[in-house]
Amino acid sequence: MTTTTPLISDIIKSLRAVGSTNTKRYIIEQNSNNEALRLLFYATYDGAVNFWIKADKDTKTNGTGVITAELIQDILAVLNCRVFTGNAAREYLAGLLQRLTQPEADVIICMINRDLDCKTSTSIANGVWKNLIREFPVMLAEKFNEKNAKIFYAAEHAKKKMIVQAKKDGGRAEAAVQSDGSVRVCSRNGNELAVFDHFSYLYPFAGHMVDGELVAYNPDGTPMDRKTSNGIYTKMVRGTATESEVASMRFIIWDMVPLADFYSGVYSCA
C-alpha cells in the first residue's frame, strides 16, 4: 500500500477550515515529515527572511506544478538573498507562479506576503518543529491599570528612581550591532529593514542589541509628521525606501542589551 503526500494547498485549506488550536496542531503534526510544509512556515513567519517584494493576491495561473521543498528553497535563495531585486525579482516570481496550479500559487503568494491566512501561531509551528521560527523577544508596553501602577507608586519612595523617556510614536527598531561593527536593523517582528548602512554610527555598541524607535526629521531638524515618518518606516520594512528617505531617520535609543541575552530572552542587569 502506498501513501500519497498531501498537496501543500490542501493542508493549508484544512487548517483554515478549523478553529481549534489543538486541531490545527494535530493537522500540522500529522504532516510534520513534509519538508515543504516545514519550509513554508519558516519562510512565511521567520523574521530573518525578507522577500523584498509583495505578491499580487489576484494573480491567475493555469500551470500544473505543485509546491516542493526544492521550490521554496529556490525562492529563498533568489529573493531572500537578493539575487534578483526590483522588477527582476517580480518577473522571477511571476514566472514561477505561472508554473503552479492556482491553489498552490495562492499559497506561495501568501508566503511572499508573510501570512498563510490559516490562524496558526509561531508557538504551534515551534511546538511541532522545535526552534523552527526565531522568536524576537522585544519588550512591549502594557495598559496602565491599578495592578501595574503599584510599581510606579513604590518608585516614588524607593532609593532607585525610575527613568522616564518620551515615546515619539515612531517605528519600533532593534539594531543588532555585530562585533565587526556591522549593523542589522529589524522591526519589532524581526523583519530586516533596508537601511543602506545608514546606522553604521552605532558601531561603538558592538555586541549589543540597541532598542528604540525610528523617527524621520526634516533637513532643518524638525520632526516630520507622524504619517509621513511612519510611511517611510513602512517602506523600509518593504525594502522600497530610497536612500535619502532612510537618511532622514533618526534612531531614538531606549535601551541596549547584550546580543546573547537578547536572543535568549533573559537579561539580568546588575
Side-chain angles (χ1 to χ4, degrees), residues 90-153:
R90 295 182 186 91
E91 290 173 3
Y92 160 81
L93 179 62
L96 183 148
L97 292 175
Q98 289 304 317
R99 297 196 297 270
L100 300 176
T101 65
Q102 188 68 60
E104 297 282 280
D106 288 341
V107 172
I108 294 298
I109 290 169
C110 287
M111 181 189 81
I112 296 294
N113 293 336
R114 314 309 297 275
D115 183 6
L116 294 177
D117 192 30
C118 56
K119 294 183 171 60
T120 50
S121 65
T122 296
S123 61
I124 293 178
N126 282 344
V128 177
W129 301 290
K130 187 176 181 180
N131 298 324
L132 173 67
I133 301 169
R134 186 190 64 175
E135 298 194 55
F136 215 64
V138 298
M139 184 179 291
L140 302 174
E142 293 185 9
K143 290 185 177 180
F144 190 79
N145 55 43
E146 194 63 30
K147 181 179 179 180
N148 58 40
K150 292 180 180 179
I151 300 173
F152 292 90
Y153 298 151

Side-chain angles (χ1 to χ4, degrees), residues 196-216:
F196 299 98
D197 295 325
H198 180 64
F199 299 103
S200 58
Y201 59 79
L202 294 172
Y203 73 89
F205 305 120
H208 289 79
M209 182 68 80
V210 178
D211 182 18
E213 61 182 329
L214 295 175
V215 180

